[in-house]
Amino acid sequence: MARRFVSLTVSMMLVLFLFMTGCSSSADPQGSGDQVELKLGFYSSGASDAKMQELIDGFMKKHPNIKVTTETAPYGQFFQKLDTRIAAGNAPDLWLSDGVLVAKYAERGAIKDLTEWIDKDLNKEDYYGLDFNKDAEGRYWAVPQGIQIGVLFYNKDLFDQAGVSYPTEDWTYDDLKKAAAKLTLDSKGKNADDPKFDGKSVSQFGLTFFSITEGWFPVMKAYGGGVLDPTMKKSIIDSPENRQAVEWMVDGMKRGIITDPSDLKSFKSPMEVFPSKSAAMWFGIYARVLAANESGLNHDVTLLPKGPSGKRFAPVIANSWVINNKADDAKAKAAWEWIKYWVTEDEVQSEWAVLGEAVPVKKSVANSDAFLNSGNKKINKQAFLDSFEFAGTLDTNAVWNEWVQVFGDNVDRAFLGEVPVNKALGEADRGVQKTLDQFYQK
Amino acid sequence: MKKHVLLKKIPGYVVIIISSLIMITPFVTAVFNSLKTYTQYTAVPPKWIPDPVMWSNYAEVWKLTDFSQYTVNSLIVSVLSVIGSILSSSMIAYAFARLRFPFKNTLFMMVLGTMMIPPVVTIIPQFIIFKNLGMLDTLMPLWVIEWLGQPFGIFLMRQAFLSIPKSYEEAAKLDGCNPFQIYWKIFLPMCKPALATLAVFTFMGKWNEILAPVIYLTSQENFTLPIGILSLGGQWFGNEQFLVAAALMSLIPILLIFLVAEKYFVQGANNSGIK
C-alpha cells in the first residue's frame, strides 16, 4: 500500500514537472547572425508607455536588424528588480536609470563607460546635461533621456490676493522670505508680518519644499555650501555656509512661513501642497508643471533666487540611458544606436517633449516651440533652459541614497526645532562621512 | 422583561455601530476619492463629496492600462496557486500528521523554520533557479511554487488533521483504504474549514503580491493587477484618483471570495487558533 502511495505521488510530481517544462517559455533571446535582440528596461507609466512603444517601433523600422524587447515595472519597483537582475547576471542590455543612480551602477561596474562613443558620435555642444553623468575622472557613464531642473514656481492668484509683486530673476533668498511672509496666512487671514499672526494655525504657506532636490540642497548650494567635495567621497557639511543656509530655512519654519516636516504630514503627499493652493511658492522640477496644470492653478515659474554672495544653483536630475557592462559587443552597439536615435533625432525628442515630463536633451528641440510653447497653459519655460547656466547634480555617488537618508534625518531634527543647527550639521557630517567611508575605504 | 433585555443590548449595538462606521470610513473615503477630479483630490481642506462625480475615472483606468489583461493574469496566478497550495500543503501535512517516517519532527521543524526567512533573502537564488528553468517573464514562477507546499499551509492543515480522531483512520483501514484514500476520502472532506482558510489566505496573498511579479515579470502583457495599477503612477505625476479607482476595482474579486467563503474562513480561523 505504501509503495502504491509513493508511486502515485511520484507520478503526480512527474506530471507537474512535465506541465511546468511544457508551459515554460524558451530560454533568453540571443542574437543570431546579423539580427540582434536588444532587451530594453524602463520604468512604466500610464501616461507615457504608449509613446515609448511608438518610439521603439520607429527605431525598429529604422534598424530592421535590431529587435527590441521591453522589460518594465512601476517606478518604485523597477530599481529593486534591477538590483536582483544585476546580481543574477540577467539585467537588460540597456536601461533607463534614475539620474541619481547612474553613479551607483558605474562605481559597482554594472554599466559601460560611454566616453569613447560619446566623443566619436555626439557633438557635446548640441545637448543639455551630458556632463551630469561625468565622474571625477572625466568618464561619461550615461546619456540623458530627459532632464529635470529646479525653478521657483509661484501661484499668481495668491500673489495678487496678497498684493505682492511676482518674483523676479533678481530675487535673493532674503527677498523670497520677505515675500513669503506676506503670503503666509493663518486661519484668521493674518499674514506672518502681523504681530497677531498665529504660526500654529497656518492655512496658507509662503513657501513649501521638502527633501533634497526640491528642498534643502539648492539653498545650501546657493549659500556656497553643499554636502560633498568634488571627489564625492568627503563630506563638507559642517561649514559656515551650510549653517547660514540651514538657519535661513529653520527661521522660516519657526515663523510658519515655510512648511516643516510635520506640516507636510497633513497633506496626502508633500507634492500636493502647491497644487492644492496651500502654498504660494515651491522649488519645483520641470515635471511638476503637469500637476500644477492639472490642478488648474494660475501659476508661472522663474529662476531660483540668489544666495548672499550672488551665487545661484538649480538642482538637476538627468534620467539617463545606460548600457549593461555585460552586454556583448553586438548588443552594446545596438544599445548605442538606440541612444543615438533617442538624443539626435528631432522627431523623437519632440514627440517625447509633448508628454511634458522632462526638458528635452537636444538643445535645438528644447529651444523650439516643441518645448517652449507646448501644452495648453503658457508659462515661462525659458526659465528651465536658462537655469542650465548654474545647474548641478545632487552630489550623486555610489551611496547617494544612503547619505541622503542620513543627512535628511539629521536636518529634519533641526527643522523641527529638536536640536540646534550646529549640532544637527555636526552629526550629519559625521554620519555622512561614515557612510562614505564604509563604501569607499573598503 | 423583553424591554429590559433590549435596553441591556443597546450599549453593545452603539459600540458596534460606531466601530463599524470608523472601520468603513477609509473605504468610503477611497470610493469618494476615486470619483474626484485631481483638483478636488488635492483640495485643502478636503472636499469629502465629489462634485462633479467623475465616473469617467473608472473608464480612464481601462483606457490607460490593460486592466482586463492584468485581471486575467492575476486570476490565473491566484487560482492555480490556490489549487496547488491546497493539494500540496494538505498532502505534506497529512504525512506529518499521520504517517511515520524517520526525522519526521526534525523535518517539520525545518519546514516551520523556513517561515522565519525573509523573502528578500531567497529572492536571488530563486530568481536564478527560475531563470535556468526558462520561466522568466511567464506567470509560472508566481504559482508553481505553491505546488511544492507552503509552510503556513502545511502547519495549518497539520493542525486540522491532528484534530481528527484516530478511530476514523482505523475504520478506513479496516475497510481497505490505503493512506492516499484515507487522506483524500476521509481527512480532506473533514477539514473543509481549514482548506477554505488556506484557499482564502493564498488567494489574497497572491492577488495582492507585489515583490515576485515585479522580479519575474518584464512584459506588460504579463503584469498582474498590483503592478499594473502601480504602473499608472509613473515617476513624477501620480494620477492618484485613477490609482484609487483601479485599486477599488481590483478589490471586487477578493470581496466576492470573502463573502462566499466567510463561514468557512471564520470557522477555520477559530479552529486553527489564528487571531
Side-chain angles (χ1 to χ4, degrees):
Chain A
M1 195 183 286
R3 271 174 61 194
R4 276 174 61 196
F5 177 73
V6 169
S7 59
L8 191 67
T9 311
V10 170
S11 324
M12 283 181 73
M13 297 296 284
L14 269 174
V15 169
L16 180 65
F17 180 72
L18 286 172
F19 185 48
M20 280 159 59
T21 47
C23 289
S24 66
S25 69
S26 59
D28 286 346
Q30 296 294 322
S32 59
D34 290 330
Q35 198 70 22
V36 180
E37 201 154 325
L38 184 67
K39 280 196 276 182
L40 184 154
F42 64 94
Y43 30 91
S44 57
S45 150
S48 60
D49 283 352
K51 181 63 73 184
M52 180 65 89
Q53 194 52 55
E54 210 179 283
L55 296 176
I56 291 170
D57 292 343
F59 174 74
M60 289 197 286
K61 221 172 177 182
K62 224 175 162 183
H63 298 272
N65 63 320
I66 303 174
K67 186 180 179 236
V68 179
T69 53
T70 58
E71 300 197 353
T72 66
Y75 172 77
Q77 286 71 34
F78 181 80
F79 296 100
Q80 182 183 18
K81 171 190 185 139
L82 190 60
D83 286 347
T84 310
R85 296 184 80 105
I86 289 171
N90 188 253
D93 304 309
L94 156 85
W95 71 84
L96 175 59
S97 170
D98 190 315
V100 295
L101 299 177
V102 171
K104 167 182 154 178
Y105 299 123
E107 294 187 42
R108 287 176 168 86
I111 55 175
K112 235 180 219 338
D113 177 355
L114 303 181
T115 314
E116 208 176 295
W117 283 345
I118 288 176
D119 286 344
K120 189 164 75 81
D121 291 343
L122 300 180
N123 178 11
K124 289 179 198 140
E125 295 305 310
D126 293 346
Y127 305 98
Y128 284 120
L130 283 179
D131 283 355
F132 297 140
N133 293 310
K134 192 163 80 168
D135 66 14
E137 279 89 52
R139 290 171 298 183
Y140 291 88
W141 293 99
V143 175
Q145 176 251 17
I147 300 173
Q148 300 301 327
I149 186 159
V151 295
L152 180 68
F153 281 67
Y154 58 96
N155 183 321
K156 288 158 90 173
D157 288 344
L158 300 185
F159 270 74
D160 291 343
Q161 282 160 23
V164 178
S165 310
Y166 297 152
T168 69
E169 296 188 355
D170 296 324
W171 265 22
T172 63
Y173 275 92
D174 284 336
D175 294 329
L176 184 148
K177 194 184 270 180
K178 272 182 210 153
K182 291 191 178 75
L183 290 154
T184 302
L185 302 176
D186 68 11
S187 55
K188 288 180 184 156
K190 299 200 182 308
N191 72 34
D193 285 340
D194 192 315
K196 289 183 183 162
F197 171 75
D198 177 9
K200 286 188 178 127
S201 67
V202 178
S203 61
Q204 177 184 301
F205 293 92
L207 172 72
T208 181
F209 75 37
F210 73 99
S211 191
I212 170 172
T213 323
E214 297 167 298
W216 38 263
F217 195 76
V219 187
M220 284 164 55
K221 292 292 275 188
Y223 270 73
V227 178
L228 305 182
D229 76 353
T231 66
M232 300 292 154
K233 292 174 186 171
K234 191 174 179 324
S235 163
I236 52 162
I237 292 168
D238 204 2
S239 70
E241 292 84 2
N242 281 339
R243 271 196 288 282
Q244 205 188 345
V246 178
E247 292 285 5
W248 181 90
M249 294 182 253
V250 169
D251 170 69
M253 289 176 193
K254 253 190 209 163
R255 292 169 59 196
I257 295 170
I258 304 174
T259 48
D260 70 25
S262 72
D263 295 324
L264 295 173
K265 284 184 182 152
S266 57
F267 293 87
K268 287 194 192 87
S269 114
M271 272 92 80
E272 282 169 9
V273 185
F274 185 76
S276 68
K277 299 173 191 163
S278 301
M281 289 179 278
W282 186 17
F283 298 166
I285 51 174
Y286 178 67
R288 305 303 180 208
V289 173
L290 289 170
N293 287 347
E294 186 74 13
S295 307
L297 292 188
N298 180 18
H299 72 284
D300 210 335
V301 298
T302 188
L303 306 185
L304 283 172
K306 295 175 195 164
S309 62
K311 192 180 175 203
R312 229 194 260 277
F313 182 81
V316 151
I317 300 175
N319 292 340
S320 300
W321 295 112
V322 295
I323 300 179
N324 189 342
N325 203 18
K326 289 192 173 160
D328 64 35
D329 203 36
K331 283 172 191 280
K333 278 181 184 156
W336 180 244
E337 287 303 321
W338 165 262
I339 293 176
K340 280 200 294 179
Y341 168 77
W342 186 276
V343 293
T344 61
E345 300 269 342
D346 284 6
E347 201 186 327
V348 176
Q349 287 281 298
S350 305
E351 289 280 307
W352 195 252
V354 169
L355 295 176
E357 287 193 345
V359 178
V361 179
K362 194 170 183 185
K363 284 182 183 172
S364 58
V365 174
N367 283 280
S368 72
D369 281 351
F371 171 70
L372 292 173
N373 291 315
S374 61
N376 298 329
K377 188 161 169 46
K378 300 294 168 232
I379 60 164
N380 175 25
K381 287 189 180 171
Q382 187 64 43
F384 293 99
L385 304 185
D386 293 346
S387 296
F388 279 106
E389 287 270 320
F390 44 88
T393 62
L394 305 169
D395 287 358
T396 50
N397 66 2
V399 285
W400 185 84
N401 274 327
E402 290 84 348
W403 76 247
V404 169
Q405 179 77 43
V406 173
F407 184 84
D409 288 350
N410 281 292
V411 83
D412 277 359
R413 291 171 66 209
F415 289 161
L416 292 168
E418 291 170 2
V419 292
V421 172
N422 269 343
K423 193 176 174 204
L425 288 181
E427 284 175 12
D429 186 58
R430 285 187 289 280
V432 167
Q433 191 57 54
K434 194 175 159 195
T435 307
L436 298 172
D437 291 346
Q438 275 168 358
F439 181 81
Y440 289 108
Q441 292 193 356
K442 262 184 188 170
Chain B
M1 182 66 184
K2 270 186 182 173
K3 203 177 165 188
H4 181 67
V5 172
L6 197 67
L7 277 174
K8 273 175 83 176
K9 283 186 175 173
I10 285 175
Y13 283 126
V14 170
V15 171
I16 290 169
I17 289 168
I18 292 173
S19 349
S20 305
L21 285 174
I22 292 170
M23 301 289 268
I24 207 167
T25 301
F27 182 75
V28 173
T29 311
V31 173
F32 285 161
N33 280 343
S34 73
L35 296 168
K36 288 176 180 173
T37 59
Y38 184 66
T39 313
Q40 289 171 38
Y41 183 85
T42 54
V44 177
K47 272 182 146 183
W48 295 107
I49 310 292
D51 178 28
V53 179
M54 299 293 290
W55 294 108
S56 58
N57 286 352
Y58 285 84
E60 199 63 29
V61 170
W62 286 84
K63 268 194 233 162
L64 284 172
T65 66
D66 202 348
F67 201 82
S68 49
Q69 183 63 53
Y70 301 158
T71 309
V72 169
N73 292 342
S74 277
L75 277 173
I76 291 171
V77 169
S78 304
V79 170
L80 288 176
S81 296
V82 167
I83 297 170
S85 87
I86 284 179
L87 283 177
S88 64
S89 299
S90 64
M91 216 180 279
I92 297 164
Y94 176 76
F96 279 127
R98 284 297 195 244
L99 303 183
R100 279 191 293 174
F101 53 91
F103 308 114
K104 187 167 94 171
N105 288 336
T106 314
L107 284 171
F108 183 63
M109 284 299 137
M110 283 170 70
V111 169
L112 289 189
T114 60
M115 288 170 80
M116 317 291 171
I117 303 171
V120 284
V121 175
T122 54
I123 201 90
I124 291 175
Q126 263 182 25
F127 180 86
I128 293 170
I129 293 170
F130 284 120
K131 180 186 149 195
N132 291 336
L133 286 171
M135 291 183 187
L136 294 186
D137 203 21
T138 71
L139 297 176
M140 295 190 72
L142 309 182
W143 60 263
V144 155
I145 216 157
E146 298 298 330
W147 286 72
L148 306 172
Q150 51 147 302
F152 169 72
I154 294 168
F155 170 73
L156 184 77
M157 293 312 299
R158 179 179 171 269
Q159 294 302 103
F161 291 150
L162 285 175
S163 68
I164 296 174
K166 210 155 173 90
S167 47
Y168 282 93
E169 196 180 347
E170 282 159 2
K173 270 185 194 165
L174 284 175
D175 287 343
C177 282
N178 61 30
F180 183 76
Q181 286 170 320
I182 297 171
Y183 151 77
W184 190 256
K185 292 185 172 168
I186 313 286
F187 278 59
L188 278 191
M190 289 180 80
C191 293
K192 277 185 194 161
L195 287 173
T197 308
L198 179 58
V200 172
F201 270 120
T202 308
F203 193 92
M204 288 199 319
K206 287 289 161 182
W207 192 259
N208 295 320
E209 189 173 38
I210 289 182
L211 184 64
V214 160
I215 302 292
Y216 296 117
L217 305 177
T218 52
S219 311
Q220 283 192 328
E221 64 266 25
N222 288 331
F223 278 7
T224 53
L225 268 174
I227 48 171
I229 291 171
L230 283 172
S231 294
L232 268 174
Q235 184 181 6
W236 309 112
F237 182 45
N239 277 335
E240 285 91 344
Q241 73 278 26
F242 299 145
L243 282 172
V244 181
L248 284 173
M249 282 199 282
S250 78
L251 267 184
I252 295 168
I254 289 275
L255 282 176
L256 288 177
I257 284 186
F258 188 79
L259 288 175
V260 171
E262 187 196 1
K263 188 180 84 180
Y264 290 120
F265 182 67
V266 174
Q267 202 179 337
N270 287 341
N271 290 348
S272 58
I274 298 164
K275 295 281 189 295

